[in-house]
Amino acid sequence: MASSMEKVVNLCSRRGFVLASADAYGQLAGFFEYAGYGAHLKRNVEHSWWDCFVKHREDVVGVDGALLLPRAVWKASGHLDAFNDPLVSCVKCRSRFRADHLVEEELKISVEGLPMEKLGELIKEHKLRCPKCKGELGEAKPFNLMFKTYAGAVADEASEIYLRPETAQNIFTDYKTVSLASRKQVPFGIAQLGRAFRNEIAPRNFLFRVREFTQMEVEYFVHPDKLNECTLPESLLSVEIAVLTAEAQEKKSEAAIISFADMIDKKIIGTKWHAYWLAECVSWLQSIGLKNKSMRLRQHVSGELSHYSRETWDVEFNYGEWGWKELLGVANRGDYDVTQHAKASGKDMSLFDEASKQKFVPVVIEPSGGIDRVFLALLVDAFEEKPDKEGVRNVLHLHPEIAPVTVAVFPLMKKDGLAEKGRAVFEELRKHFACEYDESGSIGRRYARQDEVGTPYCVTVDYDTLTDGTVTVRDRDSGKQVRFPIEQVEQLIRNSMREFTNV
Ligand code: GAP
């Protein structure tokens, strides 16, 4: 019996949402292509993020930077030296594994935050062998995750360039120029949505851990003395969610449901700006339809923090059989990146405070997420198998704002002028919504096809339409069908989209 994750992966492949990249040549692990409904869904999520975090804000500017950056940038950012995963190789068959994954799988323990030497010790202590050939395993070693190439015809250190493993670094190198050009003063943010690349040792779990993915990041620059000068609106303070602190993880306690107001009052989170951005991320995820009960916040334990981070909180999603896993993270990067780039480039990257007439280096709060993980979480959260007369039917309860198709139009039959009327209704509705026309097969089959790709509304044109100008509008989730005059359908769908909730 297939698990629900397998069913979602199967649906993605059968309905063409996601394809293995270059499949005709045998898939290269960790690369995928989004197509058809999948490309629409991904684009809708990206637009929603950009609208919420950039377009509708006064204090955030968008950028769209280069994918390849020179060696000097990655040396300064610390990625050349520290952006590593622990690698262990089999002495006999030469297979390579991520040491932390291997230990977790073999010993069924969490090794979150354990340093490389400890992983090596665990491998020796428990006499772990190669999962493929049972050969002996070598020492755990750091493996750098960046893809390297060269700019121009000469392949030397000066021409070394790297595909960016995070979109953040273009923002740090450009931040002062962007802030001056856009006349922004702290607190302000610079956002980027674009591709990132990591040469993962073991890409796995479908879209969860891939080698090329889309990141959405905001670097939010704050005066170091003003990290608590932030007023969260009541709509964010009142959001309640499961929270697993670093302390709770050490004590092996469960997550507790806490509001953002309490997280701030009880100093569970370091600063108010950090709480604000975490709350904005949760609120955005809810707005695109993720259920509150499917998410939790988890604080990074000390050994787990990235080389630049003072404090990090992940929003995790319950991926069912894979358990709780990171969806996005919000880090306090301190002044690490700006200071590093100032030192390495020799440029003055500090800002000037008019009030105190002093220079300062801003502190950065960074909400950073991956579209691919959010895409998968949305599908897992929305997927349902509904029993019906013919067995079971798949339904994706996607939020209407992000569903690949908003309305499907069907003529009851192709004859007697119904197809022509159906197309006329379709032509009208497609001016306002992502719309699909379908006249093949029984109405039941057409509903089922749309339910499976998450279409929230289906409009059927029948014989009554020809006489009284009404159509039936079917709601995906309740299955209810209501007759409406054609000219009211657009407004009806708009109202229904606004009222939609599945949190
Ligand atoms: N700038 C900070 C940063 O890059 P990260 O936790 O390494 O932090 C941020 O990555 C987000 O990017 C993650 O929360 C995840 O959603 C996504 N991400 C990272 N590695 C990924 C991978 N190999 N495949 C898919 N998504 C990934």
Side-chain angles (χ1 to χ4, degrees), residues 246-290:
E247 192 186 337
Q249 291 166 74
E250 270 148 33
K251 291 183 182 157
K252 308 246 177 288
S253 312
E254 296 287 307
I257 307 281
I258 306 177
S259 68
F260 276 93
D262 277 348
M263 281 187 73
I264 294 168
D265 289 347
K266 295 181 179 154
K267 302 212 178 328
I268 293 171
I269 189 159
T271 69
K272 278 194 186 172
W273 273 116
H274 204 157
Y276 169 80
W277 281 107
L278 197 51
E280 279 287 15
C281 290
V282 171
S283 162
W284 172 69
L285 290 167
Q286 288 175 345
S287 79
I288 55 170
L290 272 197

Side-chain angles (χ1 to χ4, degrees), residues 206-244:
F206 190 37
L207 299 172
F208 184 82
R209 191 173 303 286
V210 286
R211 288 176 168 145
E212 175 175 349
F213 53 100
T214 303
Q215 268 193 332
M216 41 193 177
E217 302 198 295
V218 181
E219 308 306 321
Y220 200 75
F221 300 87
V222 185
H223 190 288
D225 299 338
K226 298 184 180 168
L227 281 158
N228 282 312
E229 288 186 20
C230 167
T231 311
L232 278 78
E234 187 48 40
S235 57
L236 294 183
L237 285 172
S238 58
V239 171
E240 291 189 337
I241 189 157
V243 174
L244 194 58

Side-chain angles (χ1 to χ4, degrees), residues 83 165-166 168 198 200 207-211 213 215 217 219 308 326-329 333 366 368-370 372-373:
F83 196 59
E166 59 169 6
R198 296 185 188 180
E200 298 283 351
L207 299 172
F208 184 82
R209 191 173 303 286
V210 286
R211 288 176 168 145
F213 53 100
Q215 268 193 332
E217 302 198 295
E219 308 306 321
Y308 49 72
E326 176 186 349
L327 196 54
L328 54 83
R333 292 181 80 126
E366 178 198 59
S368 167
D372 312 74
R373 288 191 187 176

Side-chain angles (χ1 to χ4, degrees), residues 22 33 74 86 91 100 110 141 149 157 171 208-209 243 292 298 300 323 330 418-419 436 450 465 468:
E33 265 134 30
W74 306 112
V91 175
D100 50 344
S110 166
K141 290 185 185 139
T149 184
E157 199 173 289
I171 299 181
F208 184 82
R209 191 173 303 286
V243 174
N292 214 38
R298 190 180 68 78
H300 280 204
V330 182
L418 291 177
E436 203 167 270
Q450 294 298 330
T465 315
D468 65 8

Side-chain angles (χ1 to χ4, degrees), residues 474-493:
R474 172 188 177 266
D475 176 83
R476 174 197 66 202
D477 298 337
S478 65
K480 277 196 196 132
Q481 298 184 28
V482 188
R483 275 207 95 81
F484 272 92
I486 294 171
E487 55 282 2
Q488 289 180 18
V489 171
E490 183 205 333
Q491 199 52 48
L492 167 84
I493 290 173

Side-chain angles (χ1 to χ4, degrees), residues 311-367:
E311 178 180 354
T312 296
W313 287 81
D314 284 346
V315 179
E316 294 189 329
F317 176 77
N318 188 350
Y319 286 92
E321 71 212 69
W322 300 345
W324 290 98
K325 286 190 175 292
E326 176 186 349
L327 196 54
L328 54 83
V330 182
N332 177 341
R333 292 181 80 126
D335 59 9
Y336 176 84
D337 302 88
V338 176
T339 305
Q340 288 294 107
H341 287 302
K343 259 196 250 163
S345 67
K347 300 262 159 55
D348 179 5
M349 291 210 175
S350 61
L351 298 177
F352 187 71
D353 180 33
E354 285 295 341
S356 63
K357 303 281 178 230
Q358 295 210 329
K359 284 184 177 181
F360 67 96
V361 178
V363 163
V364 171
I365 305 293
E366 178 198 59

